[in-house]
């Protein structure tokens, strides 16, 4: 008796969401069943997180609901803890604490990457990341709360600390988040006559000799000058050696205290993929995939080299996104391949190619390799300032910012989300930025439980409680 194949997608980020979304469009219900496993019930559109930090976009508008938009896909709320392809099963810890084993016929691994952390004293205790919407909201609220506190403080070390912001990492997440928060600070100070713009201290720390490695060195240098012109400091060829107690110590010997520290120093391999799977990985902990996004190599398909048993069929293991070493055929057409960079532009298109190729495989067709040439690079540096670079074409300033907004609103999935984001932008043109902090929502039961009793706590203690 014929059994409908079951496709399990591990990870609901860009690649996973788009793969499921397009599989629904291409496959009939009788051809396959699809399930997606992710601890969050939504896909986060990460390029908009810096604008969430600045309050230019509502936090919920960058979260694309899996259940609303994946109507024929079973949404499983949990996290994969290991993948055993020999037995075609995924071990998962569900959000309610249950440990379950999920069987599949075809697996799609799109679990993404995690924030890369280094053993810098104090970072784990005091810093925020900027990879999820919750972190972006927390950064915004922490900064606005610091302004409220500083406005009532006398001038001195505590006030200086409250008005000092430190971003560690000069990639896209760090630069865009830094630029947007810097822009928010200038707008917010119009409501804080007690604080002088000269009292704000913004530091961007980057270990290499330049920021934004995805753009040209000349463009990166222009971004540094733009930040410095706006009163910020950019520390190149510098690392943070300690952040204990909020005291930031740089490799240059400089030290200062900072209540808000944001860590954006790159990404690392997902530990479930790099340590808990029998699927083939490279030395960086990324899944080895062929140009058509099947796991394995041209000479050694995963089912021939790593799996056994009559249930295994060619093409039943696929991967894409930040957890996969995807060959970049625009740079080299044969092994040894260069690999696509881990960004949203590639992950979205790889998810679509996955859906096409899996559909073709189920129907006995021929798969096609993933090939995509970059459309260019866009970055926001704050309200009204941005940069766009595509080959020799570089557009900076206000026009670069408009291109960034236009590209990103077209790229975010579903018309429902496009309309919501655009409507907030239009409203802000007339009403300006909202500078209200809602940090108290991190502890919604505090007033109820305390009965209004006065508690004196430091900003650092509040940040840790909020993060918890």
């Amino acid at each position: 008796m014929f059994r409908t194949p079951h496709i399990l997608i591990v990870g609901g980020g860009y690649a996973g969401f788009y793969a499921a979304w397009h599989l629904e469009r291409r496959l009939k219900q009788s051809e396959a069943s699809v399930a997606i496993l992710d601890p969050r019930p939504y896909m986060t559109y990460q390029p908009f997180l810096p604008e969430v930090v600045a309050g230019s976009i509502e936090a919920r508008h960058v979260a694309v609901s899996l259940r609303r938009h994946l109507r024929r896909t079973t949404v499983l709320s949990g996290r994969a803890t290991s993948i055993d392809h020999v037995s075609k099963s995924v071990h998962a810890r569900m959000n309610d604490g249950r440990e379950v084993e999920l069987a599949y016929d075809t697996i799609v691994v799109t679990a993404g990457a995690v924030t890369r952390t280094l053993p810098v004293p104090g970072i784990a205790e005091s810093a925020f990341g900027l990879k999820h919407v919750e972190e972006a909201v927390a950064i915004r609220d922490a900064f606005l709360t610091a302004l409220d506190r500083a406005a009532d403080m006398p001038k001195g070390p505590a006030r200086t600390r409250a008005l000092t912001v430190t971003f560690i990492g000069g990639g896209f997440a760090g630069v865009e988040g830094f630029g947007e928060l810097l822009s928010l600070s200038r707008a917010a100070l119009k409501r804080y006559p007690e604080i002088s713009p000269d009292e704000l201290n913004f530091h961007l720390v980057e270990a290499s000799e330049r920021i934004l490695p995805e753009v040209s060195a000349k463009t990166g240098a222009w971004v540094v000058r733009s930040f410095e012109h706006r009163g910020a400091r950019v520390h190149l060829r510098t690392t943070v050696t300690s952040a204990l107690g909020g005291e930031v110590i740089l490799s240059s010997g400089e030290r200062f205290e900072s209540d808000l520290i944001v860590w954006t120093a790159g990404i690392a391999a997902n530990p479930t993929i790099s340590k808990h799977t029998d699927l083939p990985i490279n030395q960086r902990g990324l899944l080895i995939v062929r140009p058509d996004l099947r796991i394995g190599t041209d000479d050694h398909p995963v089912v021939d080299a790593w799996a056994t048993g009559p249930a295994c069929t060619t093409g039943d293991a696929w991967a894409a996104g930040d957890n996969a070493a995807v060959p970049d055929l625009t740079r080299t057409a044969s092994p040894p391949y260069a690999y696509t960079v881990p960004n949203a532009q590639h992950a979205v298109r790889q998810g679509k190619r996955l859906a096409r190729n899996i559909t073709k495989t189920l129907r006995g067709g021929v798969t096609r390799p993933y090939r995509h040439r970059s459309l260019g690079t866009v970055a926001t540096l704050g309200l009204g300032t941005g940069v766009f670079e595509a080959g020799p074409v570089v557009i900076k300033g206000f026009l670069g910012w408009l291109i960034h907004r236009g590209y990103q609103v077209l790229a975010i999935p579903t018309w429902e989300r496009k309309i919501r984001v655009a409507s907030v932008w239009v409203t802000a043109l007339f009403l300006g930025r909202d500078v209200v902090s809602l940090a108290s929502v991190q502890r919604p039961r505090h007033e109820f439980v305390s009965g209004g009793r006065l508690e004196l706590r430091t900003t650092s203690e509040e940040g840790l409680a909020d993060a918890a």
Side-chain angles (χ1 to χ4, degrees):
M1 182 177 178
F2 175 76
R3 182 173 64 86
T4 303
H6 181 58
I7 302 171
L8 177 61
I9 301 173
V10 178
Y14 301 116
F17 173 82
Y18 273 91
W21 202 25
H22 283 262
L23 281 171
E24 286 190 351
R25 296 180 179 186
R26 294 176 178 278
L27 291 175
K28 299 176 182 178
Q29 285 184 295
S30 60
E31 291 183 286
S33 62
V34 181
I36 189 167
L37 173 69
D38 197 275
R40 290 178 170 82
Y42 54 82
M43 183 209 81
T44 302
Y45 190 72
Q46 292 179 355
F48 274 153
L49 290 184
E51 295 208 45
V52 173
V53 169
S56 299
I57 295 177
E58 290 293 331
R60 286 184 176 85
H61 295 174
V62 305
V64 181
S65 170
L66 299 181
R67 292 187 181 276
R68 175 169 182 171
H69 299 289
L70 300 179
R71 300 179 182 179
R72 288 169 40 208
T73 299
T74 301
V75 177
L76 304 171
S77 298
R79 186 186 303 276
T81 55
S82 66
I83 300 173
D84 184 358
H85 191 60
V86 169
S87 63
K88 289 201 169 184
S89 64
V90 171
H91 295 269
R93 181 176 297 112
M94 308 309 287
N95 287 357
D96 61 6
R98 289 178 299 124
E99 301 283 345
V100 301
E101 183 175 332
L102 306 172
Y104 63 82
D105 296 297
T106 296
I107 189 169
V108 178
V109 187
T110 53
V114 298
T115 300
R116 182 185 66 182
T117 56
L118 300 176
V120 178
I123 288 296
E125 295 78 16
S126 57
F128 292 99
L130 186 50
K131 191 172 176 60
H132 301 290
V133 66
E134 300 91 340
E135 295 169 322
V137 172
I139 291 168
R140 169 183 167 79
D141 285 341
F143 176 70
L144 292 177
T145 299
L147 292 184
D148 287 331
R149 291 169 59 85
D152 296 327
M153 290 179 180
K155 291 190 176 181
R159 179 174 169 124
T160 299
R161 174 182 172 127
L163 296 175
T164 299
V165 175
T166 307
F167 271 67
I168 305 168
F172 266 100
V175 167
E176 291 190 310
F178 185 78
E180 286 288 347
L181 197 61
L182 181 60
S183 178
L184 171 63
S185 72
R186 301 305 175 185
L189 285 195
K190 297 176 183 178
R191 312 301 179 192
Y192 292 86
E194 306 92 340
I195 303 175
S196 166
D198 294 337
E199 293 184 82
L200 290 174
N201 301 289
F202 273 71
H203 298 267
L204 176 62
V205 183
E206 168 54 39
S208 68
E209 61 184 10
R210 53 174 295 196
I211 62 174
L212 294 177
E214 296 86 353
V215 303
S216 65
K218 185 176 180 181
T219 299
W222 176 84
V223 174
V224 171
R225 292 194 301 271
S226 173
F227 284 154
E228 292 175 341
H229 179 72
R230 293 156 63 185
R233 290 192 60 190
V234 180
H235 306 264
L236 299 177
R237 297 179 293 278
T238 305
T239 60
V240 173
T241 60
S242 176
L244 283 173
E247 182 184 25
V248 178
I249 302 177
L250 304 182
S251 58
S252 62
E254 184 175 352
R255 61 177 62 200
F256 50 85
E257 293 194 341
S258 177
D259 267 341
L260 180 54
I261 302 172
V262 182
W263 179 275
T264 63
I267 59 175
N270 189 307
T272 298
I273 307 306
S274 61
K275 300 177 181 179
H276 303 289
T277 180
D278 57 354
L279 293 168
I281 60 173
N282 65 13
Q283 68 277 10
R284 295 167 53 201
L286 303 178
L287 289 165
I288 298 171
V289 300
R290 296 184 281 184
D292 65 356
L293 304 180
R294 293 173 174 176
I295 296 177
T297 65
D298 293 331
D299 296 329
H300 298 285
V302 62
V303 292
D304 292 340
W306 290 276
T308 60
C312 295
T313 58
T314 301
D316 62 353
W318 308 75
D322 293 356
N323 64 193
V326 179
D328 187 348
L329 300 186
T330 66
R331 296 169 60 188
T332 176
S334 59
Y337 296 113
Y339 300 114
T340 59
V341 296
N343 62 23
Q345 193 176 129
H346 281 300
V348 167
R349 287 164 176 78
Q350 288 167 11
K352 295 177 181 179
R353 173 51 57 194
L354 270 174
R356 295 189 189 101
N357 283 349
I358 291 173
T359 301
K360 287 181 179 295
T361 300
L362 290 174
R363 294 173 179 171
V366 178
T367 62
R368 293 181 57 187
Y370 171 75
R371 184 190 299 270
H372 171 68
R373 189 175 298 278
S374 174
L375 301 176
T377 300
V378 290
T380 175
L381 307 177
L383 189 64
T385 305
V387 62
F388 166 77
E389 182 173 290
V393 178
V394 180
I395 301 175
K396 308 169 186 172
F398 182 73
L399 186 55
W401 174 76
L402 282 180
I403 293 173
H404 170 270
R405 281 206 161 180
Y407 173 81
Q408 299 296 6
V409 80
L410 289 174
I412 191 170
T414 81
W415 279 103
E416 173 252 342
R417 277 300 180 258
K418 298 179 196 295
I419 293 170
R420 290 184 187 274
V421 168
S423 65
V424 173
W425 284 342
V426 172
T427 303
L429 287 176
F430 298 98
L431 301 180
R433 291 181 185 270
D434 192 334
V435 294
V436 175
S437 168
L438 293 178
S440 59
V441 302
Q442 305 290 338
R443 298 180 295 133
R445 298 182 65 252
H446 173 70
E447 287 295 324
F448 175 74
V449 173
S450 68
R453 292 188 298 273
L454 179 64
E455 291 185 14
L456 297 178
R457 305 199 305 166
T458 67
T459 304
S460 297
E461 288 171 338
E462 288 179 350
L464 287 174
D466 292 347

